[in-house]
């Protein structure tokens, strides 16, 4: 049994790949909800580093700024390659 006078700590850390996917999902959905083209806006942000390409809706801008742009590119490319490999096996 745990000592009642000691504070227990709960430390949840999301693996980086899941974190990036989550951020991209939130940002993509927020951009769609506001009527923007999510792909164009995210590309604009990645290429320029200018966060104003991303809406503030649902805290999307703040979230995407916590992820390095190269991590975004890595995750996007990883998913593309994974899906591309799957498509080739169906031919």
């Amino acid at each position: 049994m745990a000592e009642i006078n000691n504070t227990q700590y709960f430390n949840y850390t999301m693996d980086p790949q899941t974190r990036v996917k989550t951020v991209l999902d939130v940002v993509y959905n927020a951009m769609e909800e506001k009527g923007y083209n999510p792909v164009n806006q995210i590309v604009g942000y990645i290429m320029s580093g200018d966060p104003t390409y991303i809406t503030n809706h649902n805290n999307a801008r703040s979230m995407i700024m916590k992820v390095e742009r190269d991590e975004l590119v890595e995750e996007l490319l990883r998913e593309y390659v994974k899906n591309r490999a799957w498509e080739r096996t169906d031919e």
Side-chain angles (χ1 to χ4, degrees):
M1 181 173 211
E3 176 64 40
I4 194 137
N5 294 325
N6 292 334
T7 301
Q8 296 293 322
Y9 292 96
F10 180 78
N11 186 11
Y12 173 76
T13 55
M14 189 181 297
D15 72 273
Q17 201 170 337
T18 302
R19 180 177 59 93
V20 174
K21 286 180 183 181
T22 301
V23 168
L24 283 169
D25 283 342
V26 169
V27 170
Y28 189 95
N29 291 333
M31 299 302 288
E32 264 191 339
E33 287 175 15
K34 294 304 282 183
Y36 297 110
N37 179 323
V39 172
N40 288 349
Q41 297 304 115
I42 293 169
V43 167
Y45 170 70
I46 290 171
M47 296 297 291
S48 70
D50 183 354
T52 61
Y53 278 97
I54 307 300
T55 182
N56 276 322
H57 182 64
N58 289 343
N59 208 27
R61 186 179 298 163
S62 175
M63 287 182 73
I64 204 165
M65 289 172 57
K66 292 178 182 173
V67 177
E68 295 293 329
R69 288 183 293 151
D70 64 321
E71 291 178 278
L72 296 171
V73 172
E74 284 177 24
E75 186 55 36
L76 293 168
L77 185 57
R78 186 178 293 113
E79 285 298 311
Y80 174 79
V81 169
K82 182 172 78 175
N83 289 329
R84 190 74 185 124
W86 178 78
E87 288 175 6
R88 283 192 297 253
T89 61
D90 286 348
E91 293 176 353

